[in-house]
Amino acid sequence: MSEPSRAERERPLAGVRVLDLSRVLAGPYCTMLLADLGADVIKVERPGQGDETRGWGPPFVGGEAAYYLSVNRGKRSVAIDFATEEGRAALLDLAATADVVVENFRAGVLDRLGIGFEAIAERRPGIVFCTITGFGSGREPAGRPGYDFIVQAESGFMSITGDERPTKAGVAVVDVLAGLHLGMALLAGLRRAEATGRAERIEVSLLDAGLAGLVNQAANAIATGSEPRRYGNAHPNIVPYQVFRTADGEIAVAVGNDSTFEQLCRAMGLAGLAAEERFATNAARVEHREELVEILSARFAEEPAERWLERLDAAGVPAGKIRGPLEAIEAAAAAGEEATITLAGGLRLVGSPWRFDGEPMNASSPPPKLGEHTDELLGGGGGPPRPQR
């Protein structure tokens, strides 16, 4: 067996225990990333049912939905029934050993059961207690449930995506954004809790994550006082920055500045275009978008995609083939670096994107079966000991 890499030996969150009460995507995605970084993540699930995503298939691998497998590696699963006094006591025992709690229950549910923030902070004064809500606890109606699809509609994401009709993104992008935002805030909360010894309470709503993710589109709307239009595969502020059809397929072309536009024009045999006043600057190209796109489209249609990609790459113009997910994963590996990891039992998943000193860092254990670690964590009485940091 090969020696573990430095990244595997020196995981920055080793010794941090996370009690994961969340389900579906935003919370589990966040806690999986923490597990990749070395945290001991205990996934608490309802006996007999567990996380809803366990059944969100097909496809299934080894009896579990691929959806569930995508966001739960590196965790341990405990089955606890919160409806019983014994179950609530077990949860509080676990919380007393934790550094972080992540939950996405409807507002007030955990408090009514006696296992909310106040109860847990009493047992573990320095806890970082993290809540994911749909629309924010300070907004009305209170406790409105949130699903990514609905929040994509409500946040403005859907209105700026697609061509003729508003369109959702191909993945639950608001959930992913919320998980990433929570992970960053959670790490800051850990640092402050360690310094003060006081509990930290953090909330991230899907709506706020979606609004923050609008970035330039939100700024455009505020600046102009009008709603942005949908540009499909084009860009509202940069031209040309879109998909073009070639003689045998489509490619994406991104021209971020005027010098790159000059390079594009030379590569396409249209050098004179860059000198025309209507196309010389990005602002002018945005104003004359339709005219320029018509000229470029006609030229791109004359030759096949691979020839254009070779030519644009040689000219330093960002361009790419439109790939399906499987082809994209295979292309990343063919380019010299795998994007996937293989866990025990042969389960293959896309890994986390970071590199530490050039080394990838991912949890090595597969997503747990429902309640797989209940006896291990609760069987000794009084809950498990805290991990060493």
Side-chain angles (χ1 to χ4, degrees):
M1 182 179 296
S2 62
E3 289 293 317
S5 68
R6 179 183 174 188
E8 291 171 325
R9 294 194 308 270
E10 301 176 4
R11 293 181 182 271
L13 295 185
V16 173
R17 174 166 284 170
V18 179
L19 199 58
D20 183 8
L21 312 183
S22 67
R23 298 102 57 211
V24 187
L25 182 53
Y29 182 73
C30 173
T31 55
M32 180 186 71
L33 299 182
L34 300 177
D36 282 346
L37 293 171
D40 175 23
V41 179
I42 301 173
K43 185 177 180 69
V44 180
E45 303 184 77
R46 184 184 306 174
Q49 179 178 349
D51 191 315
E52 295 96 307
T53 61
R54 289 182 181 274
W56 284 11
F60 294 93
V61 179
E64 301 283 9
Y67 197 119
Y68 164 78
L69 297 174
S70 72
V71 290
N72 284 289
R73 66 172 172 265
K75 305 177 187 182
R76 296 189 284 173
S77 173
V78 174
I80 297 179
D81 185 357
F82 295 165
T84 68
E85 184 175 342
E86 180 184 27
R88 294 191 291 272
L91 179 71
L92 290 175
D93 284 343
L94 277 174
T97 74
D99 301 287
V100 177
V101 172
V102 176
E103 62 93 8
N104 62 350
F105 281 80
R106 291 281 292 272
V109 169
L110 294 184
D111 291 328
R112 288 194 295 272
L113 291 171
I115 52 176
F117 171 72
E118 298 294 342
I120 289 177
E122 183 177 347
R123 290 288 302 273
R124 176 72 171 94
I127 198 73
V128 178
F129 191 95
C130 304
T131 299
I132 300 173
T133 62
F135 293 88
S137 60
R139 296 190 178 97
E140 298 294 339
R144 181 182 178 190
Y147 279 82
D148 175 274
F149 179 57
I150 304 304
V151 177
Q152 284 198 41
E154 292 271 359
S155 67
F157 247 97
M158 200 178 292
S159 77
I160 58 173
T161 306
D163 291 305
E164 295 182 5
R165 299 184 63 189
T167 305
K168 73 177 182 68
V171 297
V173 64
V174 172
D175 274 343
V176 172
L177 286 172
L180 291 170
H181 281 296
L182 181 61
M184 181 175 290
L186 179 158
L187 294 176
L190 269 175
R191 183 173 183 179
R192 191 157 71 175
E194 288 178 349
T196 66
R198 296 193 301 269
E200 294 286 336
R201 193 168 192 174
I202 297 170
E203 177 185 348
V204 171
S205 77
L206 299 185
L207 179 62
D208 286 319
L211 291 169
L214 293 176
V215 286
N216 61 295
Q217 289 280 31
N220 291 348
I222 293 169
T224 63
S226 59
E227 298 288 8
R229 54 166 279 201
R230 285 185 295 281
Y231 284 90
N233 287 319
H235 196 288
N237 304 109
I238 310 171
V239 177
Y241 199 105
Q242 65 184 77
V243 170
F244 287 97
R245 186 177 299 279
T246 71
D248 63 352
E250 295 180 309
I251 61 173
V253 179
V255 175
N257 55 56
D258 296 337
S259 62
T260 302
F261 180 65
E262 293 176 8
Q263 294 166 337
L264 172 72
C265 291
R266 286 197 295 271
M268 298 184 72
L270 300 171
L273 277 184
E276 293 189 28
E277 183 177 352
R278 59 181 175 160
F279 305 139
T281 67
N282 181 70
R285 291 193 293 276
V286 171
E287 183 179 352
H288 297 279
R289 177 191 302 268
E290 287 76 14
E291 301 161 59
L292 177 59
V293 169
E294 183 178 355
I295 295 169
L296 297 180
S297 295
R299 178 70 181 101
F300 274 120
E302 294 174 358
E303 299 186 48
E306 286 300 327
R307 189 176 301 168
W308 280 122
L309 291 173
E310 292 173 5
R311 192 175 295 166
L312 296 180
D313 182 62
V317 177
K321 180 180 179 181
I322 297 174
R323 306 179 189 272
L326 190 59
E327 184 184 1
I329 290 167
E330 293 168 348
E337 195 165 55
E338 290 278 356
T340 61
I341 57 175
T342 301
L343 304 178
L347 177 64
R348 188 174 174 224
L349 298 170
V350 173
S352 293
W354 45 59
R355 299 288 185 273
F356 284 70
D357 292 329
E359 294 282 349
M361 186 177 293
N362 293 282
S364 58
S365 61
K369 299 294 184 182
L370 175 58
E372 180 179 343
H373 304 93
T374 301
D375 290 342
E376 173 187 331
L377 289 165
L378 300 182
R386 280 181 50 75
Q388 296 299 309
R389 299 179 64 176

